[in-house]
Amino acid sequence: MKYKYVLFDLDGTLLNTNKLIIESFKYTLKEHMNIYLEDSEILKYFGEPLMVTLKRFSEEKSEEMFNTYIKYNESIHDERVEVFGDVDKVLEEVSKLSCKAAVVTSKRKVLAKRGLELFDLLKYFEDVVAYEDTNKHKPDPEPILEALARLGAEKGEALMIGDSEFDIKCAYNAGVDSVFVSWSEAAGHQDCSIQPDYVIKDISELIYILKSK
């Protein structure tokens, strides 16, 4: 098989956290800035590190907003998170193909692992490269390069799966092939100037890509 290592984004790719993220942003911005954003305005920031997004609204209040967001987000997390479709079955199949998998996310590690553990998915991953693990974040290549180093993988052997422009650009900048998931809520709200190598409509289609020569 061409791809022996599979890197997954988390939010919007494996886990449906769309409502969680949108609600957390709205609550935070109302509390600190007294502003209301439409969902479409928030969707364009999906996949971007939280602090980067908050600084777009206020450098001065970004730290305070970060703390508010995290506290509120964690308080509603377990009730707002769902798993997409047959993710568990596909991850099991990836494992049976002897592919090594890792999560590459801009989320904090503690919450990333918590989300995976809610659905008993953490067992499928060799590692979780999260916000704390790199100095630079998506779309910079550093998170993917860190994952490759941990897995002992070559760029040509790896595939990145994600739902945002930040995932696809990160893969492109790292020299890794990419898959865009078309169930992304961010689709149509973000920059798509860099095209993925593959687009899938269902997570099960990933298996066909991995089995291709």
Side-chain angles (χ1 to χ4, degrees):
M1 296 189 303
K2 180 178 180 181
Y3 303 111
K4 300 176 183 177
Y5 302 91
V6 191
L7 311 177
F8 291 91
D9 172 56
L10 183 61
D11 290 338
T13 301
L14 298 175
L15 300 183
N16 185 349
T17 54
N18 298 325
K19 292 179 181 178
L20 171 69
I21 294 171
I22 289 173
E23 189 174 329
S24 298
F25 266 116
K26 287 184 175 180
Y27 177 85
T28 302
L29 293 172
K30 182 70 170 66
E31 283 289 302
H32 293 279
M33 306 292 294
N34 197 30
I35 59 175
Y36 173 83
L37 293 184
E38 295 291 341
D39 291 5
S40 59
E41 284 297 304
I42 298 171
L43 288 170
K44 65 185 180 183
Y45 302 122
F46 268 33
E48 186 176 61
L50 176 59
M51 184 59 82
V52 174
T53 304
L54 293 175
K55 284 182 176 180
R56 293 179 182 276
F57 295 93
S58 173
E59 284 272 354
E60 182 183 357
K61 296 182 178 181
S62 59
E63 195 72 42
E64 195 179 343
M65 287 195 292
F66 182 88
N67 292 332
T68 296
Y69 181 103
I70 293 302
K71 184 177 180 179
Y72 182 77
N73 183 274
E74 289 187 357
S75 73
I76 63 171
H77 179 273
D78 294 1
E79 293 74 36
R80 298 294 192 280
V81 177
E82 299 173 342
V83 66
F84 281 115
D86 294 325
V87 161
D88 55 339
K89 294 179 182 177
V90 171
L91 289 176
E92 184 177 5
E93 187 66 24
V94 169
S95 178
K96 288 179 180 178
L97 290 173
S98 297
C99 292
K100 291 186 176 181
V103 169
V104 180
T105 178
S106 297
K107 201 169 193 171
R108 293 178 306 127
K109 192 184 293 281
V110 63
L111 214 56
K113 286 189 171 182
R114 179 168 151 188
L116 290 167
E117 287 171 340
L118 276 175
F119 303 99
D120 195 28
L121 301 179
L122 187 59
K123 64 187 178 185
Y124 294 114
F125 298 100
E126 300 287 322
D127 212 331
V128 175
V129 177
Y131 180 79
E132 305 95 317
D133 294 312
T134 58
N135 293 320
K136 296 180 180 179
H137 307 286
K138 303 173 188 176
D140 189 274
E142 190 173 336
I144 285 180
L145 297 179
E146 176 66 19
L148 297 181
R150 293 185 181 191
L151 294 172
E154 299 293 330
K155 294 179 180 180
E157 301 175 314
L159 188 65
M160 175 71 195
I161 298 93
D163 72 309
S164 77
E165 68 171 274
F166 304 100
D167 299 312
I168 305 308
K169 289 178 178 178
C170 183
Y172 178 85
N173 291 334
V176 168
D177 286 355
S178 63
V179 177
F180 181 78
V181 300
S182 64
W183 56 87
S184 165
E185 285 284 337
H189 300 282
Q190 296 186 342
D191 175 23
C192 58
S193 58
I194 294 179
Q195 295 294 309
D197 296 279
Y198 308 93
V199 177
I200 59 176
K201 295 180 180 179
D202 187 277
I203 190 69
S204 63
E205 293 175 46
L206 176 62
I207 302 303
Y208 296 101
I209 295 173
L210 294 178
K211 287 182 176 179
S212 65
K213 303 294 183 180

